[in-house]
Amino acid sequence: MVEVRRLVKEYTGDGRTTRVVDDVSFVIQAGETLGLVGESGSGKSTVARMLLGLLQPTSGEVRFRGEPLPPLSSSAMRRLRRQMQIVFQDPYAALNPRMTVRRILEEPFVIHGEKPPGGLVPRLREMLASVGLDESALPRYPHEFSGGQRQRINVARALALNPQLLVLDEPVSALDVSVGAQVINLLRDLQQSLGLTYLFISHSMPLVRYLCDRVAVMQQGRLVELGGCVQVCEHPQNPYTQQLIAATPEIPVTAGA
């Protein structure tokens, strides 16, 4: 579904050029979850934003379903955004505190001029139900919800227009461990029921092993290891991958969470 070819991102300032992403290539197959792992500042979120067409690469290319991404400001890119959505790290900052949940969930339909076939309100109810919430959430504001509930609302909004690809940018790192485990299981269930494809960005190897099919490890802007999750987690070849695994405690994520 997605092919990333030799992506490079550089920033220039004070007479210096800093390369934050350096020659990164990988493929995400339809229906799979690829984990993109690395410490803060490794370049993984920058890669995600280039993949979504939110950031222009210095060089390299992203292809979605065999076609290169259109120019960032083009109408073609706007149409493509229906198929590619993101769930951000901070569930509160990603929601407008002055908007009710109803307005938050309506926004994708307004922006894209979309009218759900069965009507807007039934579709909003369906979106909330898919993430374990009910219609009583619609007139309420983000501050009235817990962190886990806010992230569920973010996920519901991302699913509004039936995208094919979700980029999950550390979606549980701001949540308590038990709440995060529930959100991870929700994401796994949604993938199975909706046939979604995920790019899961994280610094936690146990979470990646639980959720992902393959894993790509980034260090200082470069891809240092890429392979099947079980293979990489049990037999890491790169010293940096070995350090990541050793530094991350086990996280209790179970099917019944």
Side-chain angles (χ1 to χ4, degrees), residues 1-5 26-28 61-66:
M1 176 178 285
V2 178
E3 185 178 0
V4 171
R5 297 180 176 178
F26 58 81
V27 172
I28 309 175
E61 183 181 49
V62 177
R63 301 180 73 87
F64 184 76
R65 292 202 171 279

Side-chain angles (χ1 to χ4, degrees), residues 133-145:
L133 299 173
D134 60 45
E135 63 180 308
S136 66
L138 289 173
R140 298 162 63 189
Y141 289 86
H143 73 271
E144 300 179 67
F145 296 90

Side-chain angles (χ1 to χ4, degrees), residues 38-115:
E39 62 190 351
S40 296
S42 61
K44 54 190 188 296
S45 291
T46 302
V47 168
R49 281 158 175 73
M50 289 190 286
L51 185 151
L52 288 168
L54 299 174
L55 194 62
Q56 183 70 43
T58 303
S59 64
E61 183 181 49
V62 177
R63 301 180 73 87
F64 184 76
R65 292 202 171 279
E67 297 294 330
L69 292 188
L72 268 58
S73 60
S74 67
S75 59
M77 188 68 236
R78 181 173 176 175
R79 290 192 298 272
L80 188 59
R81 293 197 196 285
R82 298 163 54 94
Q83 302 178 51
M84 309 164 68
Q85 291 292 314
I86 185 169
V87 176
F88 292 101
Q89 177 178 358
D90 187 335
Y92 189 70
L95 300 174
N96 188 329
R98 299 188 178 189
M99 293 173 66
T100 64
V101 170
R102 174 168 180 157
R103 288 188 60 200
I104 288 168
L105 297 184
E106 287 176 345
E107 199 170 29
F109 300 102
V110 173
I111 290 172
H112 290 275
E114 177 84 11
K115 293 183 179 180

Side-chain angles (χ1 to χ4, degrees), residues 112-163:
H112 290 275
E114 177 84 11
K115 293 183 179 180
L120 182 59
V121 173
R123 175 59 179 151
L124 299 184
R125 293 194 192 112
E126 180 185 1
M127 290 159 60
L128 287 171
S130 73
V131 297
L133 299 173
D134 60 45
E135 63 180 308
S136 66
L138 289 173
R140 298 162 63 189
Y141 289 86
H143 73 271
E144 300 179 67
F145 296 90
S146 67
Q149 290 171 324
R150 291 174 197 148
Q151 196 61 300
R152 288 171 185 266
I153 293 167
N154 280 314
V155 172
R157 177 177 59 185
L159 295 175
L161 300 175
N162 299 311

Side-chain angles (χ1 to χ4, degrees), residues 7 33 36 56 139 160 172 189 194 198 208 231 246 253:
L7 276 191
T33 300
L36 189 59
Q56 183 70 43
V172 298
D189 292 343
L194 300 177
Y198 289 159
V208 165
Q231 177 65 29
V253 182

